[in-house]
Amino acid sequence: MSKASALGTGSSFARAQSISPRRAAIDAATAAPTEGALPTVTLPVSLISLNPRNPRSSLGDLTDLAKSLRNHGQKTAISIMSRLAYLEANPELAEDLEQGAKYVAIDGNSRLAAAREAGIEEVKVMLDEDLGSNPDEILESALVANVHRQDLDHLDEAYALQQLLAVHGTQEALAARLHRSQGWISQRLALIGLTPELKQKLKSGQEPAELLRQVGRKKPEEQAQQLQMLKEQRAKRKISSQAKTTSLPPKPATPSPEAAPDHVTPAPAATRQDPVVDGTSPEERQKALRRYLQLAGDPQAFVADLVESCTPEYRQQLAELLLNDL
């Protein structure tokens, strides 16, 4: 007899297929097919407990999410396990689960809490007893979805990765499991080495995560100085970039094809626009990128400059071109 049958779950859950939400999250991140995904049903919020071991240390302000759920409805189902299956993996947490709950939210704790705040009585859920048979597997199930949504607190993410690293043994193995690069894992784990003062500034948003990831491996007494140096380097690059932009001569007006005489050919777009985005060949784009990287100093600084000085539309266009060049 299955765990679901032992709990007397409804017939809707009996139709569930073999794929787990952890697999579905990985499938979504890697563009893999999700045929056989679990069906969704609705359950009263009173029957679902928040996960005592949610990777998020705090759910934060849920006002906007509660308002969205109330006005626009729930778009993504909450992944849950039965109370029995959860306690088989975490027997010591029996007292931490909410009284009267028959299920535990694994992915979707914020949505569940926001639904309660909004006064919503039922939520969409997907039941899967294969979310994990031990605490580490359950943490991984919760972490995978949060990582790929990219909305997890930086330090919460780092500590969750640290716990999973103890399970998988190496950064390379963990990176493969999460479908990320080893460098991505290493950069986030570096935040754990920050001094308490810098961790607090990271949580409050006073200092950017992309710079703090570069100083987390330094000795505690060197971190503040290293951070200040990186901030000064970024400021100089920004000033230099602005100076180059303002010193360029104005571009001559290019007549439209309709207004130009028959014997005048409008200049090609590549001569009027950005050389990276509008280069006439992949080779020219790669050459321009190598020059930009050389000026920036290192890949992290290059990425930081892109984020700081370019629009999302420009970055998306650049990413698409680079992918096409591969």
Side-chain angles (χ1 to χ4, degrees), residues 88-144:
E88 283 184 348
N90 301 277
E92 73 282 6
L93 297 180
E95 298 299 322
D96 295 319
L97 295 181
E98 297 170 23
Q99 191 172 4
K102 294 183 178 180
Y103 306 95
V104 182
I106 305 302
D107 172 30
N109 283 263
S110 295
R111 275 165 278 155
L112 177 60
R116 294 174 176 176
E117 186 173 311
I120 296 172
E121 296 183 354
E122 292 188 336
V123 289
K124 298 175 185 177
V125 300
M126 293 189 301
L127 175 73
D128 188 355
E129 306 292 50
D130 294 327
L131 283 168
S133 58
N134 59 61
D136 295 316
E137 288 182 357
I138 293 175
L139 172 65
E140 185 181 72
S141 293
L143 179 64
V144 165

Side-chain angles (χ1 to χ4, degrees), residues 2-257:
S2 69
K3 296 168 188 170
S5 299
L7 286 172
T9 50
S11 60
S12 295
F13 284 147
R15 299 194 304 268
Q17 303 300 313
S18 59
I19 189 171
S20 70
R22 183 200 301 147
R23 170 62 185 276
I26 294 174
D27 285 349
T30 59
T34 56
E35 184 178 354
L38 296 168
T40 61
V41 298
T42 59
L43 278 181
V45 295
S46 60
L47 293 182
I48 311 170
S49 172
L50 295 171
N51 181 7
R53 284 188 173 159
N54 184 25
R56 297 176 186 273
S57 58
S58 171
L59 296 179
D61 185 358
L62 299 172
T63 304
D64 290 342
L65 181 54
K67 183 178 179 181
S68 176
L69 289 173
R70 187 168 49 244
N71 295 339
H72 305 292
Q74 180 187 352
K75 305 302 182 184
T76 306
I78 297 170
S79 299
I80 63 173
M81 296 178 70
S82 69
R83 183 188 187 99
L84 175 61
Y86 185 86
L87 289 180
E88 283 184 348
N90 301 277
E92 73 282 6
L93 297 180
E95 298 299 322
D96 295 319
L97 295 181
E98 297 170 23
Q99 191 172 4
K102 294 183 178 180
Y103 306 95
V104 182
I106 305 302
D107 172 30
N109 283 263
S110 295
R111 275 165 278 155
L112 177 60
R116 294 174 176 176
E117 186 173 311
I120 296 172
E121 296 183 354
E122 292 188 336
V123 289
K124 298 175 185 177
V125 300
M126 293 189 301
L127 175 73
D128 188 355
E129 306 292 50
D130 294 327
L131 283 168
S133 58
N134 59 61
D136 295 316
E137 288 182 357
I138 293 175
L139 172 65
E140 185 181 72
S141 293
L143 179 64
V144 165
N146 280 288
V147 163
H148 290 301
R149 280 200 300 270
Q150 299 181 338
D151 61 351
L152 189 61
D153 176 84
H154 295 296
L155 285 174
D156 286 346
E157 180 182 60
Y159 285 120
L161 289 171
Q162 183 184 47
Q163 183 172 335
L164 290 176
L165 180 61
V167 176
H168 292 283
T170 66
Q171 292 186 11
E172 291 78 5
L174 178 56
R177 181 65 177 172
L178 297 180
H179 293 255
R180 294 288 184 174
S181 68
Q182 183 272 331
W184 186 92
I185 299 291
S186 177
Q187 289 172 9
R188 278 144 185 82
L189 289 173
L191 295 177
I192 297 174
L194 292 172
T195 63
E197 293 77 12
L198 290 181
K199 286 180 180 177
Q200 183 57 42
K201 289 184 177 181
L202 173 63
K203 291 182 72 69
S204 65
Q206 291 179 263
E207 299 292 356
E210 61 269 21
L211 293 186
L212 291 174
R213 289 174 183 140
Q214 298 181 53
V215 306
R217 303 291 185 189
K218 299 291 183 180
K219 296 179 180 178
E221 62 271 19
E222 298 175 355
Q223 291 181 9
Q225 182 179 359
Q226 178 72 11
L227 176 62
Q228 184 60 34
M229 183 182 71
L230 291 173
K231 291 166 68 175
E232 291 174 357
Q233 289 177 352
R234 172 187 278 191
K236 289 179 181 178
R237 286 194 298 269
K238 185 175 181 180
I239 293 173
S240 176
S241 176
Q242 292 174 341
K244 290 178 181 178
T245 302
T246 55
S247 64
L248 289 175
K251 297 176 181 178
T254 303
S256 64

